[in-house]
Amino acid sequence: MSAMPPLDALSLGDARRHVGARTLKPSDYAAWLVAHARGGEDTLRAWAHLDPAHVAAAAARADLAHPTAQGPLHGMPIGIKDIIATADLPTQYGSPAFAGHREPRAAAVVERLAAAGGYVFGKTATTEFAFMQPAATRNPWNAAHTPGGSSSGSAAAVAARHVPAAIGTQTNGSVIRPAAFCGIVGYKPTFGAIAREGTFVFSATLDTLGTFTRNVDDAARLASALAQPGRIAPGVVARARPPRIGWLGAFPWTAIDAEADAMLDAAATRLRLAGAEIVPVALPDALAAAADVHRTLMLHEGAASLAHVPRDALSATLARALDAGAAIGAVAYARARAAREAMRAVALDWLAHYDAIATPPASGTAPARLDTTGDPACCTLWSLVGFPAIVLPIGLAGNRMPLGMQLASTPDTDDALLSVAAWVEPRMPFRGLP
């Protein structure tokens, strides 16, 4: 094995290989990451709860595990979004009203993490109940910019090298967008691939657990360990031929920044020169109302999910959204559900002709503001229909902030989508971290 870089720079796969080869003790790795995270946390604010004693104890247990009992994530510290229940750490939902709150049992995804040999490094900051009220987290590329949301801390912690990987959730753009803004790989598997039990669900129709890593191979490694058995392979299979990619440059319900558009065009040219078949496509007319349908489902179900929380315990932003959701009647909600099913059928037929569809993950780079998490609209369609999506960085814009490319495919083709993403990844000029 080659000489080891600084421990915070290790990818999830490299860290696991060093631990497996006994050239790195989990406790040494954990101590280094805790020191690194604490050194930058005053500015970044990625963590809702980070307890060095908890980390040290978990890593010490990993030190003692017999080699035959070591799972695929043995000794790996993973950030967990603070709407995902942990039995031994607070789960505060990004809400002051739930400060110090603890759940009696860990979420299913946390139990899967433990079964794979990993452990919870800490709870990452989230927007309030994973909606729109920003967390205190800042973008590690430039602290004046938002990291995106709602999985703000998960994306920032991975990009800032506090942890090699983290877990988040997506209702609209809450995995793909912050990953794009922070210059890392964000992966939203097929709806339902990772169990949601014990995770706060804003919208039962939409919410999906996903991952944040620093490369595509690590996305497969982590998601496979967390997913239902057999849903996602633990390694990416190399493609036998270049992919056929449908190229969708925009969505009708949002506008794309000119620089982002130009960089995505340049990325398409790179892929075409590398042998990929790039086919310009248009959004089918039958999907044009996807954003409206998504909003109806999200707000109506969100109002039901948070009906037990007094409005005066919520931010004005969330309270207004829930009031709007409560005002959506049963008939409008039923129509939205029927429209979603019709759109799924259209999207299935549309995507069947391509190995993946490439789109912008956001309208541009992370906004230079902290009172917003940015526009999630480029993620809306795939969240609505429950298709897998992944974003990978493609370069830096003129303001030295990352831009990404989103790839999506049909349900339960996660392995094939990850294979396309892994083919694209080395052909992009983006390298490094903030």
Side-chain angles (χ1 to χ4, degrees):
M1 188 172 290
S2 59
M4 195 183 306
L7 298 187
D8 54 279
L10 290 175
S11 68
L12 180 66
D14 285 343
R16 178 65 185 90
R17 283 186 284 273
H18 277 290
V19 167
R22 299 190 179 185
T23 56
L24 176 63
K25 289 177 61 178
S27 57
D28 291 339
Y29 186 39
W32 180 289
L33 293 182
V34 166
H36 179 66
R38 295 182 77 184
E41 182 59 6
D42 285 349
T43 298
L44 193 66
R45 304 178 190 178
W47 298 97
H49 186 86
L50 178 57
D51 179 0
H54 165 84
V55 175
R61 289 192 292 271
D63 284 347
L64 298 175
H66 191 274
T68 60
Q70 295 182 5
L73 298 177
H74 177 72
M76 295 299 99
I78 307 297
I80 306 294
K81 185 176 181 178
D82 198 28
I83 62 165
I84 299 171
T86 45
D88 50 356
L89 296 173
T91 302
Q92 303 172 106
Y93 307 103
S95 169
F98 283 78
H101 174 76
R102 289 179 179 258
E103 294 287 350
R105 179 178 175 180
V109 70
V110 175
E111 293 179 344
R112 292 280 301 174
L113 173 64
Y119 64 90
V120 178
F121 185 82
K123 304 300 288 290
T124 56
T126 175
T127 62
E128 179 191 26
F129 288 104
F131 195 62
M132 292 175 63
Q133 183 68 18
T137 312
R138 296 165 181 255
N139 195 302
W141 289 86
N142 186 324
H145 292 245
T146 178
S150 61
S151 305
S152 312
S154 291
V158 172
R161 305 186 299 278
H162 292 185
V163 282
I167 301 171
T169 63
Q170 178 158 311
T171 305
N172 193 352
S174 298
V175 169
I176 299 298
R177 177 182 36 150
F181 285 173
C182 292
I184 58 172
V185 173
Y187 171 43
K188 181 189 79 70
T190 297
F191 177 84
I194 301 176
R196 299 187 307 195
E197 287 81 4
T199 297
F200 170 73
V201 174
F202 191 93
S203 168
T205 302
L206 306 171
D207 284 15
T208 305
L209 283 119
T211 64
F212 296 88
T213 58
R214 296 199 286 270
N215 60 55
V216 175
D217 189 65
D218 282 351
R221 180 187 303 272
L222 178 57
S224 176
L226 303 178
Q228 309 284 5
R231 293 294 295 266
I232 301 169
V236 178
V237 177
R239 293 188 58 79
R241 60 174 179 80
R244 186 172 195 257
I245 298 175
W247 199 266
L248 180 67
F251 294 94
W253 47 80
T254 192
I256 306 303
D257 174 82
E259 186 177 19
D261 187 55
M263 287 188 67
L264 283 162
D265 283 348
T269 298
R270 281 178 172 270
L271 298 181
R272 189 178 290 111
L273 291 173
E277 184 181 0
I278 304 297
V279 184
V281 298
L283 189 76
D285 290 342
L287 301 178
D292 292 335
V293 173
H294 180 281
R295 182 180 184 278
T296 297
L297 296 173
M298 177 179 66
L299 294 186
H300 182 83
E301 293 178 354
S305 292
L306 287 169
H308 65 290
V309 181
R311 287 292 191 269
D312 60 6
L314 304 175
S315 68
T317 298
L318 181 53
R320 283 193 299 269
L322 298 183
D323 287 343
I328 295 170
V331 172
Y333 175 65
R335 286 174 178 165
R337 289 190 62 83
R340 174 183 178 269
E341 292 308 307
M343 288 180 178
R344 277 177 55 85
V346 171
L348 277 169
D349 181 66
W350 178 40
L351 268 66
H353 305 287
Y354 309 98
D355 294 312
I357 295 285
T359 76
S363 56
T365 60
R369 297 170 53 185
L370 298 174
D371 61 347
T372 178
T373 57
D375 182 3
C378 289
C379 309
T380 297
L381 176 60
W382 313 126
S383 292
L384 175 65
V385 296
F387 290 9
I390 189 168
V391 63
L392 49 155
I394 62 171
L396 295 180
N399 62 359
R400 309 304 296 168
M401 298 296 290
L403 281 166
M405 175 196 300
Q406 181 177 209
L407 298 165
S409 65
T410 52
D412 298 315
T413 60
D414 292 77
D415 293 347
L417 177 63
L418 289 161
S419 179
V420 172
W423 187 91
V424 170
E425 186 175 41
R427 292 167 172 86
M428 292 296 106
F430 184 90
R431 299 291 183 271
L433 292 165

